[in-house]
């Protein structure tokens, strides 16, 4: 649905790289509207664009079946910029040479500019660039000059200035390329002649108009999760259609964070939403999860319960009748099949689809006001709508809620000492290559990420390593207890999660991490039968992630408060990157 956005001046061709959306976001940050398209989009469908950027990707251009592009684009008058795989693809499709390099080039390099072409206007020589490649262009195609090199890569940039075709081996879209923004700026404004046409906050009136058009005389119903996307989308509908016509429901599953339900209630009360309801389904969810320990079954049961309760709400409120349509908070990356969480779905089950919702989708009775926007742009719109900043800056939170952070055990079991530490038979999900692992965790007495990574590579029995931050009893004396999801444990997890959130917010640490799950595992001693695992990570999109160190003063403060919570025996930090661990434990 393109009603909410202008025609894109820049099209990003997606060759499967994890940075495709980052390129698009960087272009939009420069004020130019860009959209991502499949790499093989015919050149004729891009005739109205001012420029095309061909993204990086993991394949090799010379391997059969690898992503390609319409060669006509390279002969057309449209300006083109190839990045990484994009450079190799352009060289390969013309008559250049691409082969595997003698060695790879991963990380920081310095760019020697040999030809001051317009793409490098105002870019200083020898600046830092970020590289990630093994395949290399050895000879540029005819008509193209080598513009720059690095100590490892003789062809780090090529160009045919008259034809307005450029390509670079480095990644201008990442922060480690110090003049990357300048390179993109040169391409957009000097080479393509783009104008500034994109400022998300100023699009609110356009979006509201589109909502009125799509709805016509019909009313809109929303399931609000408490997350940023559904809240902003529902708020837009409230403003566009008014309270009488925009209804909403929030299901309290009992698996939410402390204060969450009240928070959501307060926000919509302050917006004057009379037809917004909190549905108390705590007993349904906790009842269904009572004896479940296996993560996939947990997810499945939560999904099924959601389906059942949403269906009940849709039917009892008559929202399936012809005069209602469904609103959804779908954002731009969710709409692109090759990006986002397509791969994550293989590792863990995500949302189920409600039959009633499917019927509404099939009948095209859906309004999705945010499908053109990235998360940061949704936040800008939220600010424009007056939603509280602390709400808009929230970290992502998984649909199944705290249930997948409350680990359960079938039976009591002791720790197993090893040369590297202690193995606890608390299983968690990992991802190695494209496949799922489900293995115990290794407890170590340090917080060294490099040593932790080495330990996982050494001991194939485990897929995760946690380091001790503090404990009320010697770690060697802890054991694993049989456990389930109970109201008592959920309350305990809510309390420790709230403590961690408060301290990381007050110290400003929450701004330096992408997400900070807090996990409860049933490892303890005596009456203290649970322990807390802190899992702060940095990430771009959740597909890969790095475990982030916690400053000693902060983890000391956290440990002090957490160890005082009733029932808590020890506090750990998860030192595992993704891969081989996943972000969530289940
Ligand atoms: P993993 O654990 O797969 O998580 O590394 C990647 C990102 O996805 C989030 N996540 C979910 N989000 N429903 C969601 O809406 C889910 O079932 C779900 N499982 C994981 C997770 O919080 C992280 O940001």
């Amino acid at each position: 649905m393109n009603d909410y956005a202008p025609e894109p001046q820049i099209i990003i061709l997606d060759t499967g790289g994890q940075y495709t959306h980052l390129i698009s976001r960087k272009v939009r940050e420069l004020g130019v509207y860009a959209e991502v398209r499949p790499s093989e989009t015919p050149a004729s469908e891009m005739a109205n664009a001012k420029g095309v950027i061909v993204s990086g990707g993991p394949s090799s251009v010379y391997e059969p079946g690898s992503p390609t592009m319409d060669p006509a684009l390279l002969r057309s008058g449209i300006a083109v910029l190839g990045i990484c795989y994009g450079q190799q693809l352009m060289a390969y499709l013309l008559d250049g040479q691409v082969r595997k390099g003698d060695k790879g080039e991963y990380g920081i390099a310095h760019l020697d500019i040999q030809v001051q072409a317009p793409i490098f206007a105002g870019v200083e020589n020898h600046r830092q660039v970020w590289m990630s490649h093994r395949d290399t262009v050895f000879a540029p195609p005819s008509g193209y000059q080598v513009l720059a090199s690095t100590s490892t890569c003789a062809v780090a940039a090529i160009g045919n200035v008259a034809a307005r075709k450029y390509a670079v081996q480095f990644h201008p879209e990442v922060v480690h390329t110090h003049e990357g923004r300048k390179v993109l700026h040169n391409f957009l404004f000097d080479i393509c002649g783009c104008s500034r046409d994109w400022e998300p906050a100023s699009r609110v009136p356009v979006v509201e108009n589109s909502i009125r058009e799509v709805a016509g005389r019909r009313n809109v119903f929303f399931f609000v999760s408490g997350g940023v996307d559904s809240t902003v989308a529902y708020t837009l509908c409230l403003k566009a259609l008014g309270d009488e016509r925009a209804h909403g429901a929030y299901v309290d599953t009992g698996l939410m964070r402390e204060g969450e339900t009240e928070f959501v209630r307060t926000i919509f009360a302050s917006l004057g939403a009379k037809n917004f309801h909190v549905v108390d389904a705590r007993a349904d969810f906790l009842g269904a999860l009572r004896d479940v320990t296996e993560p996939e079954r947990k997810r499945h049961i939560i999904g099924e319960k959601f389906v059942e309760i949403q269906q009940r709400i849709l039917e009892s409120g008559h929202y399936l009748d012809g005069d209602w349509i469904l609103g959804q908070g779908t954002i731009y990356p969710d709409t692109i099949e090759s990006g986002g969480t397509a791969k994550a779905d293989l590792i863990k089950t995500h949302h189920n689809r409600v039959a009633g919702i499917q019927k509404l989708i099939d009948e095209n009775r859906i309004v999705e006001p945010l499908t053109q926007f990235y998360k940061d742009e949704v936040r800008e719109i939220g600010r424009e709508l007056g939603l509280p900043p602390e709400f808009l800056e929230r970290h992502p939170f998984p649909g199944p809620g705290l249930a997948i952070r409350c680990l359960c055990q079938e039976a009591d079991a002791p720790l197993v000492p090893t040369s590297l530490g202690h193995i606890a038979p608390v299983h968690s999900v990992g991802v190695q290559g494209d496949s799922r692992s489900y293995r115990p965790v290794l407890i170590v007495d340090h917080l060294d990420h490099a040593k932790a990574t080495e330990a996982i590579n050494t001991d194939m029995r485990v897929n995760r390593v946690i380091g001790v931050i503090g404990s009320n009893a010697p770690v060697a004396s802890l054991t694993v207890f049989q456990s389930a999801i109970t109201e008592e444990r959920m309350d305990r997890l809510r309390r420790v999660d709230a403590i961690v959130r408060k301290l990381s917010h007050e110290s400003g640490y929450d701004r330096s991490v992408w997400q900070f799950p807090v996990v409860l595992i049933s490892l303890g001693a005596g009456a203290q039968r649970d322990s807390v695992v802190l899992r702060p990570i940095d990430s771009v999109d959740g597909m890969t992630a790095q475990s982030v160190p916690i400053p000693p003063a902060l983890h000391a403060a956290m440990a002090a408060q957490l160890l005082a919570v009733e029932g808590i025996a020890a506090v750990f930090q998860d030192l595992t990157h993704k891969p081989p661990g996943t972000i969530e434990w289940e």
Side-chain angles (χ1 to χ4, degrees), residues 299 348-351 396-400 404-405 514-515 542 578 582-584:
R299 280 170 179 273
K348 296 173 185 181
T349 312
H350 279 220
H351 296 301
F397 187 69
I404 59 168
R405 297 178 179 174
W514 188 77
Q515 199 178 15
K578 174 184 179 178
T582 49
I583 296 174
E584 306 288 352

Side-chain angles (χ1 to χ4, degrees), residues 26-27 29-30 53 81 83 111 113 116-125 127-129 166 168 170-192 196:
K26 293 287 163 181
V27 171
E29 272 173 35
L30 289 163
I53 299 179
L81 173 64
I83 295 176
L111 194 70
I113 299 174
Q116 258 305 344
I119 192 82
F120 293 131
V123 175
E124 274 180 50
N125 214 350
R127 292 306 303 274
Q128 172 176 319
V129 295
Y166 293 91
V168 293
F170 62 88
H171 286 267
E173 70 277 19
V174 307
V175 289
H176 311 295
T177 296
H178 287 165
E179 304 236 43
R181 195 178 157 91
K182 181 82 192 145
V183 170
L184 289 176
H185 186 283
N186 288 341
F187 180 68
L188 298 179
F189 297 105
D190 303 334
I191 296 166
C192 299
R196 283 195 174 70

Side-chain angles (χ1 to χ4, degrees), residues 317-512:
H318 303 286
Y319 296 120
L320 296 172
D321 298 354
D323 47 356
W324 286 91
I325 61 175
L326 185 81
Q328 300 214 109
T330 317
I331 68 171
Y332 187 46
D334 305 337
T335 65
I336 310 272
E337 262 178 37
S338 58
T341 53
K343 199 162 136 203
D345 283 345
L346 304 173
I347 310 294
K348 296 173 185 181
T349 312
H350 279 220
H351 296 301
N352 281 12
R353 184 59 92 185
V354 179
I357 291 182
Q358 194 56 51
K359 173 177 181 310
L360 292 166
I361 292 172
D362 294 344
E363 293 171 1
N364 210 9
R365 285 162 57 196
I366 290 281
V367 60
E368 297 178 304
L370 298 176
T371 47
Q372 277 343 102
F373 300 99
Y374 285 107
K375 193 78 166 192
D376 285 338
E377 299 175 331
V378 172
R379 294 196 179 102
E380 276 180 53
I381 290 175
R383 271 191 288 277
E384 181 72 14
L385 296 171
L387 292 169
E390 70 274 17
F391 168 76
L392 296 169
E393 294 308 324
R394 286 176 150 202
H395 293 157
F397 187 69
L402 293 178
I404 59 168
R405 297 178 179 174
C406 184
L407 270 73
C408 308
Q409 289 294 133
E410 294 258 331
D412 293 359
L415 296 188
V416 180
T418 75
S419 59
L420 298 168
H422 288 86
I423 294 182
V426 174
H427 286 62
S428 75
V429 178
V431 50
Q432 271 136 329
D434 277 352
S435 47
R436 176 187 199 269
S437 66
Y438 188 53
R439 295 191 193 145
V441 61
L442 177 70
I443 304 175
V444 294
D445 61 3
H446 60 77
L447 296 172
D448 184 324
H449 283 90
K451 271 163 80 179
T453 304
E454 204 182 303
I456 295 186
N457 293 334
T458 314
D459 193 331
M460 293 306 290
R461 284 173 293 180
V462 300
N463 61 0
R464 209 177 271 277
V465 177
I466 58 178
V468 184
I469 288 181
S471 68
N472 286 327
V475 169
S477 72
L478 302 179
T479 58
V480 169
F481 291 105
Q482 188 274 330
S483 61
I485 291 191
T486 58
E487 214 168 325
E488 187 193 357
R489 289 188 79 221
M490 286 305 298
D491 281 343
R492 186 171 298 141
L493 175 52
R494 257 189 283 275
R495 206 160 326 129
V496 296
D497 176 65
I499 290 172
V500 173
R501 246 194 313 165
K502 181 163 182 287
L503 289 174
S504 73
H505 180 68
E506 284 169 359
S507 62
Y509 180 72
D510 60 353
R511 286 196 300 276
S512 61

